[in-house]
């Protein structure tokens, strides 16, 4: 054991040893409101139809390396401009990694906002890039455009990630400020639209109007988290370079066929998404009415809440003991003190959460 540990010490990069692994808590038996999943399952008849499609798949063969049929379905359902190129990832996490590998290097910078999606920083570390975070405004997590443009000027980032709406704060950023960012950025600006299904705002129709704009989407938050499928759209000269860093056959045949099937039933996904948006507004009002809970307005399928000083950890644990799992953010970033992130569930799940919260506060 001593020997193994000293070998690990000798060979594993210090920046890898220094970070802790992405933590996923055990959720068996709990009402799962921690990971922005769609709470609705498919009706039995649709499942049967899906299994019929899977029955015809030959798993002895490699999947199609470029998944043209699935890409076509994605182009149609996501209104991707015809002139744009598209590359698929095993979740958008993999696309973030491919982007970093494409433009990375020891003196190259990934810049993002803080607090935001933690994978931007983690992947900068994995790929040996330097990470720069620009703080959002403490009062409402809005964009400090002056600070952002200054940091861009100073750091000359190769890659800028903007989650729009942002995770974990659930807000959109000022569009005019982002357009100025596109003009000022020396390198790529990736608008990460993981929550596109829950807002009407998007940069998708602007693709091609800026030489450095890419738009990233995922099927995860709209009801297909288990499939692991993300996409990156943008000018073909960028996409064809990024595509070179993609591992061959990164999208398995079961994912290709299942995602294509799901997109052919997009009205069902849309109906679920609409229900989530509606439930979000009800949950927000109910949370705001609880004394001691301050929810922040949401354009996504989750709500960030701040609790009174010293309460977040105990409330998080109390909820878990009552069978409801939410995400604790206290301790993850200075601007997120006493914050919990609650994914919008079904009406029944939201009620369970609210009842448990009332008991705890
Ligand atoms: C959840 C999330 C993703 C990751 O999506 P996957 O496709 O499941 O990897 C990307 N960006 C943001 C901002 C997210 O919140």
């Amino acid at each position: 054991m001593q020997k193994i540990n000293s070998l690990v010490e000798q060979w594993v990069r210090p920046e890898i040893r220094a970070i802790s692994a992405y933590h996923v808590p055990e959720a068996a038996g709990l009402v799962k409101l921690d990971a922005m999943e769609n709470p609705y399952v498919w009706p039995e008849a649709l499942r049967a139809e899906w299994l019929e499609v899977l029955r015809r798949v030959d798993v002895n063969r490699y999947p199609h390396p470029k998944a043209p049929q699935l890409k076509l379905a994605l182009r149609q359902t996501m209104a991707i401009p015809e002139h744009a190129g598209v590359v698929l990832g095993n979740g958008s996490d993999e696309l973030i990694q491919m982007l970093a590998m494409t433009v990375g290097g020891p003196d190259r910078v990934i810049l993002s906002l803080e607090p935001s999606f933690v994978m931007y920083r983690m992947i900068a570390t994995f790929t040996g890039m330097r990470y720069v975070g620009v703080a959002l405004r403490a009062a409402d997590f809005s964009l400090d455009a002056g600070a952002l443009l200054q940091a861009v000027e100073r750091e000359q980032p190769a890659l800028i990630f903007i989650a729009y709406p942002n995770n974990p704060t659930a807000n959109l950023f000022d569009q005019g400020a982002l357009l100025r960012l596109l003009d000022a950025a020396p390198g790529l600006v990736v608008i990460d639209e993981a929550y596109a299904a829950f807002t009407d705002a998007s940069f998708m129709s602007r693709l091609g109007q800026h030489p450095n704009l890419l738009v990233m989407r995922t099927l995860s938050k709209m009801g297909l988290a288990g499939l692991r499928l993300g996409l990156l759209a943008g000018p073909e000269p960028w996409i064809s370079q990024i595509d070179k860093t993609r591992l061959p056959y990164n999208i398995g045949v079961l994912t290709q066929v299942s995602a294509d099937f799901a997109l052919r039933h997009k009205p069902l996904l849309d109906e679920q998404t609409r229900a989530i948006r509606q439930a979000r507004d009800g949950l927000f009002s109910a949370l705001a009415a609880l004394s001691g809970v301050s929810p922040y307005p949401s354009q996504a399928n989750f709500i960030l809440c701040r609790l009174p000083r010293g309460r977040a950890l105990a409330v998080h644990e109390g909820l878990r003991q009552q069978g409801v799992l939410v995400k604790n953010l206290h301790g993850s970033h200075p601007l997120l003190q006493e914050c919990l992130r609650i994914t919008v569930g079904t009406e029944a799940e939201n009620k369970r959460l609210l009842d448990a919260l009332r008991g705890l506060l």
Side-chain angles (χ1 to χ4, degrees):
M1 203 56 190
Q2 190 69 51
K3 176 70 180 164
I4 299 175
N5 287 339
S6 71
L7 283 172
V8 166
E9 184 113 346
Q10 180 185 356
W11 289 108
V12 176
R13 290 156 51 199
E15 62 271 30
I16 301 297
R17 278 187 279 132
I19 56 178
S20 33
Y22 188 82
H23 174 65
V24 179
E26 181 55 50
L30 300 178
V31 173
K32 200 166 179 308
L33 303 180
D34 68 324
M36 282 79 94
E37 290 144 327
N38 172 335
Y40 300 106
V41 295
W42 292 354
E44 210 43 60
L46 193 64
R47 280 174 184 253
E49 206 184 312
W50 171 42
L51 290 179
E52 274 312 306
V53 173
L54 292 183
R55 189 191 292 280
R56 292 194 292 272
V57 171
D58 292 323
V59 289
N60 57 315
R61 301 292 179 195
Y62 281 110
H64 194 298
K66 301 209 159 197
Q69 189 178 332
L70 174 55
K71 274 188 192 162
L72 198 63
L74 288 164
R75 280 180 176 280
Q76 285 163 358
T77 51
M78 298 201 175
I80 300 172
E82 209 164 322
H83 55 77
V86 172
V87 55
L88 303 183
N90 188 347
S92 35
D93 291 344
E94 190 185 41
L95 292 163
I96 300 169
Q97 190 182 48
M98 284 159 55
L99 281 157
M101 289 192 295
T102 302
V103 301
D107 49 355
R108 296 261 172 117
V109 168
I110 288 183
L111 184 143
S112 188
L113 305 168
E114 299 242 315
S116 189
F117 189 47
V118 295
M119 289 312 292
Y120 306 144
R121 176 198 286 275
M122 289 187 77
I123 285 171
T125 303
F126 300 159
T127 54
M129 294 178 76
R130 200 154 64 77
Y131 175 83
V132 174
V134 177
L136 296 171
R137 290 204 181 89
D140 56 0
F141 301 112
S142 63
L143 193 65
D144 183 343
L148 175 61
L149 293 178
Q150 246 175 30
V152 166
E153 171 70 28
R154 187 180 66 238
E155 305 287 349
Q156 296 289 300
L159 200 46
I160 299 173
F161 286 104
I162 305 287
Y164 182 84
N166 190 37
N167 171 12
T169 57
N171 57 319
L172 291 163
F173 299 120
D174 180 70
Q175 209 179 333
L178 294 181
L179 291 173
R180 273 182 282 146
L181 172 67
L182 280 161
D183 285 338
L188 280 171
V189 177
V190 180
I191 305 292
D192 180 351
E193 298 188 342
Y195 300 96
F198 308 99
T199 178
D200 299 326
S202 172
F203 276 73
M204 191 64 92
S205 66
R206 295 184 185 274
L207 283 181
Q209 295 172 15
H210 308 268
N212 53 351
L213 169 64
L214 300 178
V215 172
M216 191 161 67
R217 294 272 183 101
T218 173
L219 297 190
S220 295
K221 313 293 160 53
M222 58 186 263
L224 301 166
L227 286 186
R228 309 300 300 130
L229 188 76
L231 73 87
L232 188 67
E236 187 55 54
W238 280 118
I239 296 296
S240 58
Q241 297 295 330
I242 294 159
D243 192 54
K244 294 178 187 172
T245 70
R246 190 174 55 85
L247 294 176
Y249 313 117
N250 63 328
I251 311 298
V253 66
L254 297 181
T255 294
Q256 288 190 30
V257 165
S258 302
D260 186 54
F261 175 83
L263 292 174
R264 272 186 279 127
H265 294 86
K266 183 81 171 9
L268 174 71
L269 296 178
D270 290 342
E271 193 186 307
Q272 296 179 342
T273 308
R274 257 198 310 279
I276 294 167
R277 281 171 83 150
Q278 215 164 47
R280 167 186 74 197
D281 300 340
L283 180 60
F284 181 88
S285 310
L287 287 167
L290 290 181
S291 82
V293 181
S294 311
Y296 290 87
S298 168
Q299 291 284 314
N301 64 339
F302 59 93
I303 298 176
L304 184 74
C305 293
R306 201 181 297 270
L307 296 169
R309 210 184 153 125
R311 300 296 301 280
L313 286 179
V315 168
H316 177 256
E317 180 53 24
L319 285 172
R320 205 178 59 80
Q321 277 171 17
Q322 295 189 44
V324 180
L325 184 64
V326 302
K327 174 83 169 176
N328 169 49
L329 293 168
H330 181 79
S332 68
H333 189 276
L335 293 184
L336 295 174
Q337 280 187 30
E338 308 298 344
C339 283
L340 301 180
R341 188 189 64 196
I342 301 169
T343 303
V344 179
T346 62
E347 292 290 352
E349 289 174 333
N350 298 338
K351 182 168 182 313
R352 252 194 86 180
L353 165 87
L354 289 164
D355 289 344
L357 261 181
R358 272 186 209 105
L360 288 165
L361 287 165

